[in-house]
Amino acid sequence: MLQTITNAVNAVDEFMWGWFMIILLLGTHIFMTIRTRFIQRKTFKAIRLSVTKDPESEGDISPFQSLATALASTIGTGNIIGVGTAIAVGGPGAVLWCWLTGVFGISTKYAESLLAVKYRVRTKDGRMLGGAMYALERGLKLKWLAVLFALFALFASFGIGSGVQVNAISSIMNSTFNHEGLLTLNITGHEVSLVSVIVGVVIAAVTAVVIFGGIKSISKVCELLVPAMAAMYVIGCVILLVMNYEYIGSAIALIVKSAFTTTAAAGGFIGSSIMIAARYGIARGLFSNESGMGSAPIVASAAQTRNPVRQAMISSTGTFWDTVVVCLMTGIVLVSSGLKNPAAFSGADGDKLTFCAFQQIPYIGTPILVIGIVAFAYSTVLGWSYYGERCVEYLFGLKGMIPYKIIFVLVLLIAPVISLDMVWALSDIFNALMAIPNLVAVILLSGVVVKETKYYLYGNRLDEYDRTEIPRVEK
């Protein structure tokens, strides 16, 4: 029975991430890049804005807290295990497709964030609510599509937002402390890892404490956690690149060549077709940076900002840091390590590739990776809990908040003992399902994006306050 369900889920996953999704996603990225006059060239200006406080503007949290919360939900297992999974299944060429998704995805992240702020609303108690569901409802008058997006995002919060993350923590902790599989418990006739059970209980308990404190509690934790965890992981990658310096050139050449040709096994990696490399690279790129999914704009709409363009620029830097920098570094580290030590990487699963790579660093390699994955995954859980809450509030009002938080915590308890392949497949499916209505909003409202961009950015009015009044809603 379980195998039948697994096969069905994998079949749906294969269908959702066929050529249609690849064309829709990359097509939107390229389309918005052209329409925004290559907004990527404003990335460094956007980075400066991200560390500029704007306390006089309307919003619940600072622009940096908004970015940190969005990065918390994106810089995570997608950068570590996700890239490894893409390489293991799609070959080294998947790294380039993942990176290209990030480069062009900056424009889509900009557009969807702009729309989220443009069409945000204010509750009677003064909180800001926004996201693709409000853009679809207020901008396009497509209430039914807005409801579908909120439903898909709600389900995604249990996959990409919690199940995948705590499963990743469980996997790395078992590899570190229970690699022989001796620590087990018998639960209803099934042998489960004691380490996995402990991970589920601890993460669920700690998460419950934070998420019941609301967005300000979540954003404060993320503001402190994200810079520290990212710096530690990047330092680890830099050390590995220095150790593998003789193989970096060969690794980059293999990545580029493999992205556009059918490759045989090389350096311990399996062979791959162009379609498989593109599919897994783009899917993991989306999982990593979430450009086009419509998730990060939900928290962007809560930021204190003078106008939609200002916050949209800040939000777009999340994709730059997440995929253009961190995912690329991870990909080059894994491929160069595989070329250096082909025997160690041969036949390794996706979640094991990064583990094998960091083991090359004496003494501190494994601790860096373990701490990094735990911190990345935990912060992603916090960020996605907020996304899920806003979707529940849109669909059911505040009365649905407590039940959602309870279910979210329960998912964290059981996810560590679920098959990783199943969790990844379900996450891919919900990622695609929520991306479709969001991309509809981005494409059909691209004229609004262009108009706002011309006025505020290219009209040199970034310091001007929003011209439209934020409507109040009964929530």
Side-chain angles (χ1 to χ4, degrees):
M1 180 63 180
L2 181 59
Q3 187 58 48
T4 301
I5 295 174
T6 301
N7 292 338
V9 169
N10 288 334
V12 174
D13 185 18
E14 291 281 343
F15 172 77
M16 293 299 299
W17 284 100
W19 277 112
F20 169 75
M21 180 54 66
I22 290 175
I23 293 172
L24 178 61
L25 187 62
L26 271 183
T28 302
H29 291 348
I30 295 171
F31 175 69
M32 291 312 305
T33 294
I34 295 171
R35 293 227 66 185
T36 58
R37 292 161 55 182
F38 204 80
I39 195 69
Q40 290 89 335
R41 60 195 173 93
K42 301 290 184 178
T43 296
F44 293 106
K45 182 180 183 69
I47 291 173
R48 290 195 298 273
L49 287 175
S50 69
V51 292
T52 302
K53 293 185 178 181
D54 198 9
E56 297 180 0
S57 301
E58 296 180 296
D60 303 332
I61 55 179
S62 72
F64 183 76
Q65 286 178 323
S66 172
L67 176 62
T69 304
L71 278 172
S73 67
T74 53
I75 295 185
T77 54
N79 303 86
I80 303 175
I81 294 178
V83 174
T85 303
I87 293 173
V89 181
V95 176
L96 181 61
W97 288 106
C98 179
W99 184 75
L100 287 174
T101 301
V103 171
F104 287 103
I106 290 173
S107 63
T108 301
K109 180 66 69 69
Y110 168 82
E112 62 188 359
S113 299
L114 188 155
L115 294 173
V117 178
K118 174 71 176 177
Y119 293 108
R120 66 181 177 175
V121 298
R122 192 199 318 269
T123 63
K124 60 183 179 182
D125 59 357
R127 293 178 298 111
M128 294 292 188
L129 302 177
M133 53 277 204
Y134 294 94
L136 287 163
E137 179 181 350
R138 297 187 58 226
L140 293 174
K141 312 302 179 185
L142 296 175
K143 173 75 173 181
W144 64 273
L145 198 56
V147 169
L148 282 180
F149 171 84
L151 279 173
F152 295 147
L154 173 59
F155 286 122
S157 72
F158 297 126
I160 183 179
S162 56
V164 165
Q165 309 307 325
V166 74
N167 198 296
I169 295 175
S170 172
S171 177
I172 196 69
M173 295 300 274
N174 273 295
S175 296
T176 305
F177 302 108
N178 191 30
H179 62 277
E180 295 181 356
L182 300 178
L183 301 174
T184 61
L185 290 176
N186 189 295
I187 300 178
T188 64
H190 298 279
E191 292 291 327
V192 297
S193 168
L194 175 61
V195 173
S196 296
V197 173
I198 294 174
V199 165
V201 172
V202 172
I203 295 298
V206 176
T207 301
V209 172
V210 178
I211 67 175
F212 277 89
I215 180 57
K216 291 187 178 180
S217 174
I218 293 171
S219 64
K220 286 180 180 178
V221 173
C222 293
E223 184 180 24
L224 296 173
L225 190 59
V226 170
M229 70 182 187
M232 183 178 66
Y233 179 71
V234 167
I235 289 172
C237 287
V238 171
I239 292 173
L240 283 169
L241 289 175
V242 172
M243 293 173 63
N244 301 339
Y245 75 96
E246 294 180 349
Y247 296 88
I248 292 177
S250 299
I252 294 174
L254 180 61
I255 288 170
V256 175
K257 179 181 178 182
S258 301
F260 302 104
T261 59
T262 300
T263 60
F269 303 112
I270 64 171
S272 172
S273 69
I274 299 174
M275 177 61 188
I276 294 176
R279 178 188 168 234
Y280 280 93
I282 293 172
R284 292 298 172 257
L286 173 61
F287 180 91
S288 169
N289 61 56
E290 300 177 15
S291 291
M293 278 180 58
S295 50
I298 295 175
V299 71
S301 62
Q304 297 165 342
T305 185
R306 299 187 183 196
N307 55 68
V309 170
R310 193 181 181 95
Q311 183 57 39
M313 292 178 66
I314 293 171
S315 296
S316 71
T317 64
T319 299
F320 171 78
W321 292 119
D322 180 88
T323 308
V324 178
V325 176
V326 178
C327 276
L328 179 61
M329 289 184 69
T330 302
I332 295 176
V333 162
L334 296 184
V335 176
S336 62
S337 297
L339 291 175
K340 183 178 181 180
N341 302 293
F345 282 73
S346 181
D349 295 333
D351 58 327
K352 300 296 190 300
L353 288 180
T354 313
F355 188 78
C356 291
F358 272 76
Q359 280 184 322
Q360 297 175 95
I361 306 177
Y363 306 113
I364 65 171
T366 298
I368 286 177
L369 184 61
V370 171
I371 295 172
I373 286 183
V374 171
F376 280 151
Y378 177 63
S379 66
T380 300
V381 168
L382 295 182
W384 265 92
S385 70
Y386 176 75
Y387 299 159
E389 286 178 26
R390 297 289 70 79
C391 291
V392 167
E393 184 169 359
Y394 179 80
L395 293 168
F396 309 110
L398 291 176
K399 64 180 180 294
M401 207 63 62
I402 298 300
Y404 168 77
K405 290 180 179 180
I406 292 174
I407 295 173
F408 191 86
V409 171
L410 288 176
V411 170
L412 295 175
L413 276 173
I414 65 173
V417 297
I418 299 176
S419 167
L420 181 63
D421 292 338
M422 172 71 82
V423 174
W424 273 110
L426 286 171
S427 297
D428 275 349
I429 291 170
F430 286 121
N431 289 355
L433 286 174
M434 67 182 289
I436 292 172
N438 178 63
L439 293 176
V440 168
V442 169
I443 293 170
L444 296 184
L445 292 172
S446 61
V448 175
V449 175
V450 171
K451 182 179 178 181
E452 296 292 305
T453 303
K454 284 183 177 179
Y455 182 83
Y456 287 110
L457 180 58
Y458 298 121
N460 294 317
R461 298 185 180 96
L462 276 180
D463 291 331
E464 185 176 310
Y465 287 94
D466 197 354
R467 298 162 292 166
T468 58
E469 184 178 350
I470 302 173
R472 288 187 177 273
V473 294
E474 294 295 323
K475 288 283 184 181

